[in-house]
Amino acid sequence: MKAIAIAHPNIAFIKYWGNRDQDLRIPVNGSFSMNLDGLSARTQVTFRADLEQDSLILNEKTLQGAGLQRVSQILDEVREVAGISLHAQVISENTFPTGAGIASSAAAFAALALASSKAAGLSLDEAALSRLARHGSGSACRSIPGGFTEWQSGESDQDSYAFSIAPPEHWDLADCIAVISSGHKAIGSTQGHALAATSPLQGGRVADVPRRIDICRRAILERDFDTFASICELDSDMMHAVMMTSNPALFYWQPSTLRVMQSVRDWRAEGLPVFYTIDAGPNVHVITPTKKMREVKDKLANIEGVDNVLTATVGGPTRLVES
Ligand code: PMV
């Protein structure tokens, strides 16, 4: 009873920030993202009769406590549906640095959802896998389908899942991730979602989401880079305004984060098609057509405080490697 799955992280264009149900991770607003090819999590799940409890090895380190508990919750769901009581060994590896704002949990829980359900003998459809991944980490639901994906917020556990709005080959875009080291570990997104409602700006951000979603969807479907750039930067800035004005306040930006944001705006004014978007960390995701990826990567690497630049094109769905 073993299966291995590979999933990509995703970068959000319209951000998910705040839950209407914190336990089930049902968001207050819908969101968009694209999967990041080249970066991935590879997760192997084996249900075994000789295990007395679940175990988790992440990047060759054995994890206990909260990390293992979050994984066991997903395994419990799978066990219940499959009608089995065996414990599982989970071995997961990331091809990118964890905890650096590159949504390692999204790829990890998407891969876990597919590998654990397959290992238990289940064949869940895409929506069911997306819901299962969502229970581990909200944004993980968007890594199940391929390419450009939309997570419809839904009103219940059943109708809150993601689907693809366009395949990877729809638009040749690249994400150049300017990795900026931060001296301290920021508050994780699970805690951050719980604070969103304490910001007086969250109501305004959420009320305007349907408008931004419509503009973003149309920009993606019509490959309209300029409209896409301005709506994505606005959405990212609005989420960070909420973070900075919540109680306690969350400041994810570092001085180098702002240096990169300013440079990206300057380059765009000079005619280079680029924009920035930032998740819950100091790193800046700089989106550009693939043909400009090399140029943008080199420019970013020259900015003070940028440690290194990772690049990714648009990735496919979470897939099974071996079963
Ligand atoms: O899935 P979580 O709980 O890690 O939340 C992700 C939140 C953001 O990355 C900041 C935004 C998003 O939509 O991915």
Side-chain angles (χ1 to χ4, degrees):
M1 298 184 85
K2 170 176 144 183
I4 301 175
I6 288 188
H8 301 298
N10 63 73
I11 177 64
F13 297 130
I14 298 295
K15 310 288 188 185
Y16 148 54
W17 198 246
N19 287 315
R20 77 173 62 183
D21 185 317
Q22 183 78 4
D23 293 335
L24 286 172
R25 298 177 196 269
I26 299 173
V28 289
N29 65 271
S31 54
F32 279 111
S33 60
M34 76 178 190
N35 287 349
L36 300 177
D37 201 24
L39 311 178
S40 56
R42 184 182 190 276
T43 301
Q44 172 184 305
V45 177
T46 316
F47 286 101
R48 289 190 347 213
D50 62 321
L51 297 176
E52 283 177 7
Q53 56 176 53
D54 296 326
S55 70
L56 170 64
I57 299 174
L58 178 61
N59 296 326
E60 298 180 349
K61 273 202 209 127
T62 303
L63 288 199
Q64 310 270 4
L68 174 62
Q69 215 181 333
R70 220 163 139 184
V71 164
S72 280
Q73 260 174 22
I74 299 296
L75 296 171
D76 283 344
E77 256 188 77
V78 166
R79 281 187 279 257
E80 194 179 325
V81 178
I84 60 171
S85 56
L86 299 176
H87 288 108
Q89 179 196 50
V90 178
I91 303 174
S92 191
E93 268 149 44
N94 290 327
T95 63
F96 53 95
T98 41
I102 313 173
S104 53
S105 62
F109 281 103
L112 179 68
L114 180 56
S116 61
S117 57
K118 270 286 162 193
L122 299 173
S123 277
L124 302 181
D125 64 19
E126 190 183 86
L129 281 171
S130 180
R131 279 194 294 267
L132 181 60
R134 193 196 82 226
H135 294 160
S137 170
S139 60
C141 77
R142 295 189 311 239
S143 282
I144 293 286
F148 298 83
T149 71
E150 175 170 358
W151 173 9
Q152 61 178 23
S153 56
E155 281 173 6
S156 66
D157 185 42
Q158 203 54 23
D159 61 2
S160 185
Y161 59 88
F163 48 85
S164 175
I165 61 159
E169 57 280 9
H170 170 71
W171 201 359
D172 278 344
L173 291 183
D175 182 4
C176 301
I177 309 165
V179 178
I180 289 156
S181 63
S182 85
H184 55 91
K185 196 164 162 35
I187 290 191
S189 47
T190 299
Q191 269 175 285
H193 291 297
L195 296 177
T198 65
S199 164
L201 303 185
Q202 172 75 340
R205 188 194 74 87
V206 173
D208 185 55
V209 161
R211 185 188 72 91
R212 297 198 303 283
I213 288 258
D214 279 352
I215 293 172
C216 187
R217 185 188 295 111
R218 203 167 333 118
I220 292 173
L221 295 178
E222 294 173 3
R223 301 184 199 89
D224 173 354
F225 193 87
D226 291 346
T227 304
F228 191 42
S230 40
I231 203 68
C232 291
E233 282 191 357
L234 173 69
D235 189 86
S236 175
D237 291 347
M238 285 175 93
M239 179 182 73
H240 283 272
V242 166
M243 291 164 159
M244 289 173 194
T245 51
S246 67
N247 183 12
L250 300 175
F251 274 81
Y252 288 108
W253 297 352
Q254 297 282 317
S256 308
T257 308
L258 276 162
R259 265 194 287 276
V260 174
M261 293 163 79
Q262 189 58 55
S263 299
V264 167
R265 284 179 175 259
D266 291 347
W267 300 338
R268 191 159 76 250
E270 289 160 10
L272 187 65
V274 275
F275 69 85
Y276 65 76
T277 183
I278 303 166
D279 281 345
N283 301 332
V284 188
H285 293 252
V286 181
I287 310 297
T288 191
T290 308
K291 59 177 188 291
K292 299 285 182 190
M293 183 170 85
R294 189 75 239 180
E295 182 183 343
V296 170
K297 181 181 179 177
D298 291 347
K299 281 163 105 63
L300 287 169
N302 281 327
I303 296 176
E304 188 196 332
V306 173
D307 276 358
N308 69 314
V309 183
L310 305 172
T311 55
T313 51
V314 190
T318 298
R319 64 186 195 277
L320 222 48
V321 185
E322 191 188 300
S323 194

